[in-house]
Amino acid sequence: MIWVIRLLVAGFAALFVIIGVRAMIDPQSIITQFELGRQGVTGTSAIRADMGGFFIGTGIAALVGLFPGKRQWLLGAAGMVALAFLGRAIGLMSDGITANIAQSMIIEAISVALLVAAFAILSPRRREELAAEKTAEIERQRLAAEEERLAAEQNDMIAQNEAQLQRDRDLAQPIV
């Protein structure tokens, strides 16, 4: 489970970094994708800096959050995406919705849920609980194997005792 969540977060982070790098290197593709309209030099610079920085920063924060002791970075990334979602929600109330806006909001909502879930799942306390459960299961298996061994020994002893009793009875019989 932990590796699945790590892979999902890594995939999210890679996607965001790729979008951010694309915004910096090829802002025209971002202008088209996000329907930003015609931009001058200042607008293109803002797309490179603001959108590129947002996406790369969020992706890197999510990646850093995967390292031991750094899971709080996942909440930072979740907060950034939640703010983007909030901005879209405000726009939704005043400007309406398009298919691209709905798609972006769904991706952002899933991303926030993923990052918050990863924060909870990657909790040191949760890892300790999982380790304790695994240790308890191993101990249960060891005890079950020990019980089986003891039962087998007891059955062997009973069989040996019965065999000895039969020999004693046979020896006690007079030979005719």
Side-chain angles (χ1 to χ4, degrees):
M1 173 67 168
I2 289 177
W3 285 106
V4 171
I5 199 80
R6 286 181 181 278
L7 286 173
L8 289 172
V9 170
F12 158 84
L15 175 68
F16 267 52
V17 169
I18 289 168
I19 293 171
V21 168
R22 209 172 105 216
M24 287 188 174
I25 293 173
D26 183 18
Q28 234 14 78
S29 66
I30 298 297
I31 290 169
T32 303
Q33 180 181 350
F34 289 94
E35 299 176 6
L36 298 175
R38 188 170 136 83
Q39 299 293 316
V41 174
T42 304
T44 303
S45 176
I47 290 168
R48 281 190 170 107
D50 299 340
M51 290 189 75
F54 167 79
F55 281 104
I56 291 172
T58 302
I60 289 173
L63 284 175
V64 170
L66 294 176
F67 286 95
K70 303 289 184 190
R71 73 186 182 99
Q72 67 274 14
W73 284 69
L74 294 168
L75 292 181
M80 292 172 66
V81 178
L83 286 172
F85 182 88
L86 176 63
R88 288 192 201 281
I90 291 169
L92 181 68
M93 289 185 271
S94 63
D95 305 328
I97 191 164
T98 67
N100 284 347
I101 293 170
Q103 178 185 7
S104 294
M105 290 181 83
I106 290 168
I107 291 169
E108 289 161 354
I110 291 170
S111 297
V112 170
L114 170 66
L115 292 166
V116 171
F119 176 80
I121 291 170
L122 298 177
S123 158
R125 190 174 25 218
R126 177 73 177 135
R127 282 196 307 270
E128 289 168 4
E129 289 171 4
L130 291 173
E133 288 173 12
K134 187 174 183 178
T135 302
E137 179 60 27
I138 290 169
E139 183 63 16
R140 277 191 296 277
Q141 290 173 353
R142 187 191 68 73
L143 289 173
E146 182 67 16
E147 285 177 12
E148 285 179 29
R149 186 186 65 76
L150 289 173
E153 281 181 12
Q154 187 177 18
N155 288 340
D156 286 346
M157 289 173 57
I158 290 169
Q160 287 174 0
N161 287 341
E162 287 175 359
Q164 183 65 38
L165 285 171
Q166 185 61 43
R167 267 184 288 205
D168 289 347
R169 273 188 242 122
D170 290 344
L171 290 173
Q173 294 289 327
I175 300 178
V176 187

